Amino acid sequence: MAVRMSSVHFLYNYKNALNRTYTKQQTLFEQADGSKIHRGSDNPVAYSNLMRYQFTQNENAQYTENVNTAVSWMKNSDSVLQNMADNVATLSTKANQAANTYLSESDSKSIAKEMNATLEEVMSNCNYQLGDRFLFAGQKDTTQPFTISSGSLTRGLAKTLDAKQAEFFKGTRGNVNTELYQMLTLHDTEGNEYYLDNKSGYIYSETFVKEGYKDLIAEGNNYITDVDAAEYAAGDVRMSEETAVNTVESADSDAIAEVIDGKSTDNDLKRALKRIGEAEDSDTYISEIATALDASEDDIKSAVAKCADFASVMVSDYFDNRGVIKDAGTEGIEVTLNGETVKLNFTTIQQRVVTYSGDDNYISMVKLNGATDTRSDIVNVTGQDLFGCDIFDDDSSGNEKSGTAMLNNMLTVYQKTDACDAHWLSSDGITLADVGHSTINIAQTTLGARLQLYNNVSDMLDNQSVIVTGDISELDSTDVADLATKLMELTTVYNLALSLGGRVLPQSLADYL
């Protein structure tokens, strides 16, 4: 049976076909900008992948910017550190020269002048700026980190132990070329010198520390703990067990609780608990104290354990973290010396002192997605990294880290050189200079390792950028030749459709179209 198609239906189909052709033509014209996908409806699956690739590309660009900034920062830091290491190596060499007892006073003075000039350059390097930011100030990088006193201050003089002394008195086989092991230097009214181990509380004579201990080593005693230290100590500044018991019994339970929590700043109480723990009959004392304070023995034992490693003599009571003596230190310290209570004075030196105004916080520039690595993302070097610590600001001193320990020690070396003290330089100064040099070398090596890591990441990010760009190009880029061909085809079809429609459609409608 024949089906008759009305003119209205015919016109409707013609119009839809013409519009579809026109839409395809416009879509191809859009792709002339080089991109095949402009909206999700163009290709939903491809559009989703494109968004993912573009996000990866933007993320990669941000990490690349972070890495480039970090590399620039670290390269500048490394360059300054190299100059600083060279200068400190020069100071170490000069210290060795000045330790020669055959030098004349004028020779020592001449070496001291060279040291002073080198130290001034080190100070300048410490305050190096990249733009308006200081490289070695931690996160306080808009504040000048290092300042030196205009005049001389009174600084404590520590006894720096050599490798054999450190092993015997400190019980360590650590590398004394990278870490300081020191005692506080004291003297009596007759000028006799003594050395105070702030952790054990024992005071040793100069003769025993420099020579006498060697006899014990020859007898097979490798550490001071191998013998009765009290027998060889000239004195002891720790309180007696009886005094310790009385001190703890007079403390209230809240004070004991604070010590258990590690929050107490009551040094006398901490010393007392440490002494109780060392007593031969410590369990009896703990029981008596618990009864007196109406506390449990476990609580008292916990407090004693907390104080086991507490330094018997807190350096912070007498010196600040730069080694500058406090008022309490100028009064000396009462000790039991050869069975008698005597007052010993801290040995000091007049010198310029450097203060660090930065902080020990690190600047982190994230270089990769995923878990944050706070150690490998570090790009800066702080004062603490540069100059380590000494007896005046180490963990057992009671002081905060100064960020200037080795720098101030180098100023001490300079001052002793200027004073022509070859004896001190040979026994202490050379070690101080060597450790100062090693500390900066360690900081530079650590920074160099991180710089290499960032350079490797930079190469990886560049490769990843090429890969992602290729993925985006393959997914979204227009094939120009194919596009031109299709445009020509559709344009021809569209024009033919218009021409045909103008011939077969009613005149009024053709004019309308």
Side-chain angles (χ1 to χ4, degrees):
M1 182 177 93
V3 177
R4 181 180 178 183
M5 182 180 292
S6 68
S7 59
V8 173
H9 186 70
F10 175 78
L11 291 173
Y12 176 79
N13 289 339
Y14 173 79
K15 183 178 67 173
N16 283 343
L18 191 65
N19 286 339
R20 285 195 300 271
T21 303
Y22 179 76
T23 298
K24 290 181 180 179
Q25 188 183 41
Q26 292 304 308
T27 299
L28 291 177
F29 272 122
E30 281 185 341
Q31 295 179 14
D33 65 357
S35 176
K36 291 191 297 186
I37 304 173
H38 294 85
R39 60 190 65 85
S41 59
D42 291 342
N43 188 332
V45 175
Y47 185 77
S48 175
N49 290 333
L50 179 63
M51 292 297 99
R52 179 164 53 85
Y53 289 150
Q54 288 177 340
F55 176 81
T56 301
Q57 188 179 49
N58 292 335
E59 187 180 48
N60 182 277
Q62 181 60 61
Y63 287 131
T64 300
E65 183 179 351
N66 289 352
V67 167
N68 290 338
T69 302
V71 167
S72 174
W73 184 284
M74 287 189 284
K75 281 184 176 179
N76 279 277
S77 298
D78 185 60
S79 176
V80 177
L81 282 174
Q82 181 60 55
N83 190 45
M84 198 181 301
D86 291 342
N87 286 326
V88 177
T90 299
L91 289 171
S92 181
T93 301
K94 296 298 179 184
N96 276 275
Q97 292 177 1
N100 188 337
T101 56
Y102 294 101
L103 289 178
S104 64
E105 182 176 344
S106 61
D107 289 336
S108 293
K109 293 285 186 181
S110 178
I111 293 174
K113 288 180 181 179
E114 295 177 17
M115 280 186 171
N116 187 51
T118 305
L119 282 168
E120 291 291 345
E121 186 171 352
V122 172
M123 278 292 300
S124 178
N125 289 333
C126 289
N127 289 320
Y128 189 88
Q129 286 179 277
L130 183 61
D132 61 346
R133 303 174 69 185
F134 291 92
L135 289 179
F136 307 117
Q139 291 186 5
K140 296 174 66 175
D141 53 8
T142 58
T143 301
Q144 179 176 319
F146 296 91
T147 54
I148 190 167
S149 60
S150 57
S152 296
L153 301 177
T154 305
R155 188 170 191 260
L157 191 65
K159 169 60 184 172
T160 302
L161 306 179
D162 62 27
K164 291 183 178 180
Q165 290 169 335
E167 184 174 349
F168 183 79
F169 289 101
K170 299 296 185 179
T172 177
R173 295 181 183 272
N175 187 352
V176 295
N177 291 322
T178 59
E179 187 175 0
L180 288 181
Y181 299 95
Q182 297 176 305
M183 297 183 184
L184 293 173
T185 306
L186 300 161
H187 63 274
D188 59 22
T189 55
E190 297 178 0
N192 297 312
E193 194 161 86
Y194 300 91
Y195 303 123
L196 167 60
D197 186 335
N198 63 304
K199 292 186 177 180
S200 68
Y202 286 121
I203 294 175
Y204 301 99
S205 68
E206 178 184 14
T207 303
F208 181 71
V209 171
K210 292 185 175 180
E211 297 295 335
Y213 79 98
K214 296 177 182 178
D215 295 333
L216 293 179
I217 293 178
E219 295 173 5
N221 302 300
N222 295 320
Y223 309 106
I224 189 66
T225 52
D226 293 338
V227 298
D228 182 2
E231 182 180 345
Y232 298 95
D236 185 355
V237 295
R238 296 182 300 178
M239 63 182 67
S240 67
E241 292 169 9
E242 182 180 358
T243 303
V245 171
N246 293 336
T247 300
V248 177
E249 288 183 343
S250 63
D252 57 32
S253 298
D254 291 338
I256 297 293
E258 285 185 355
V259 173
I260 294 173
D261 294 336
K263 300 175 182 178
S264 176
T265 57
D266 188 341
N267 292 338
D268 288 337
L269 179 56
K270 287 185 176 180
R271 290 191 186 95
L273 289 166
K274 175 182 174 69
R275 189 60 171 160
I276 292 298
E278 295 170 344
E280 292 183 5
D281 199 9
S282 60
D283 289 341
T284 300
Y285 289 128
I286 289 173
S287 177
E288 293 175 355
I289 293 166
T291 301
L293 294 177
D294 193 21
S296 70
E297 290 189 22
D298 288 340
D299 284 347
I300 303 302
K301 286 181 179 179
S302 176
V304 169
K306 287 280 186 180
C307 299
D309 296 327
F310 179 76
S312 291
V313 177
M314 292 302 294
V315 175
S316 59
D317 290 344
Y318 309 103
F319 302 93
D320 69 15
N321 61 359
R322 303 168 301 168
V324 176
I325 198 165
K326 296 180 178 180
D327 289 340
T330 59
E331 298 174 359
I333 183 171
E334 289 190 351
V335 301
T336 302
L337 196 62
N338 298 323
E340 297 182 2
T341 300
V342 298
K343 179 179 287 187
L344 296 182
N345 292 313
F346 291 104
T347 303
T348 59
I349 185 172
Q350 296 295 314
Q351 66 170 77
R352 291 182 299 166
V353 174
V354 178
T355 302
Y356 179 62
S357 300
D359 58 33
D360 293 331
N361 297 323
Y362 292 108
I363 297 173
S364 177
M365 295 185 184
V366 181
K367 58 189 179 297
L368 289 171
N369 56 10
T372 301
D373 188 346
T374 55
R375 292 203 58 81
S376 66
D377 287 341
I378 293 170
V379 301
N380 65 324
V381 177
T382 67
Q384 175 63 31
D385 297 327
L386 279 176
F387 300 116
C389 57
D390 56 18
I391 195 171
F392 300 113
D393 69 343
D394 64 16
D395 291 334
S396 64
S397 68
N399 283 320
E400 295 181 353
K401 299 290 191 291
S402 68
T404 60
M406 298 306 166
L407 189 53
N408 283 325
N409 287 333
M410 292 307 303
L411 286 167
T412 302
V413 173
Y414 154 72
Q415 202 65 46
K416 283 292 189 179
T417 302
D418 190 57
C420 310
D421 193 345
H423 177 71
W424 182 89
L425 289 167
S426 62
S427 63
D428 295 64
I430 292 175
T431 301
L432 286 176
D434 288 345
V435 173
H437 183 221
S438 297
T439 303
I440 292 179
N441 279 339
I442 291 171
Q444 185 181 18
T445 301
T446 303
L447 179 70
R450 292 201 297 263
L451 176 58
Q452 183 61 48
L453 177 60
Y454 270 79
N455 284 329
N456 292 339
V457 171
S458 178
D459 293 340
M460 185 195 70
L461 290 173
D462 289 342
N463 292 334
Q464 186 177 3
S465 177
V466 171
I467 294 172
V468 173
T469 301
D471 290 338
I472 292 176
S473 177
E474 182 178 350
L475 186 68
D476 188 43
S477 295
T478 302
D479 185 335
V480 177
D482 184 58
L483 175 64
T485 301
K486 288 181 178 179
L487 272 174
M488 290 175 64
E489 291 177 353
L490 281 174
T491 301
T492 300
V493 171
Y494 185 72
N495 289 335
L496 286 173
L498 285 177
S499 176
L500 180 63
R503 292 176 182 274
V504 301
L505 293 176
Q507 189 68 34
S508 59
L509 181 59
D511 291 340
Y512 173 76
L513 291 174

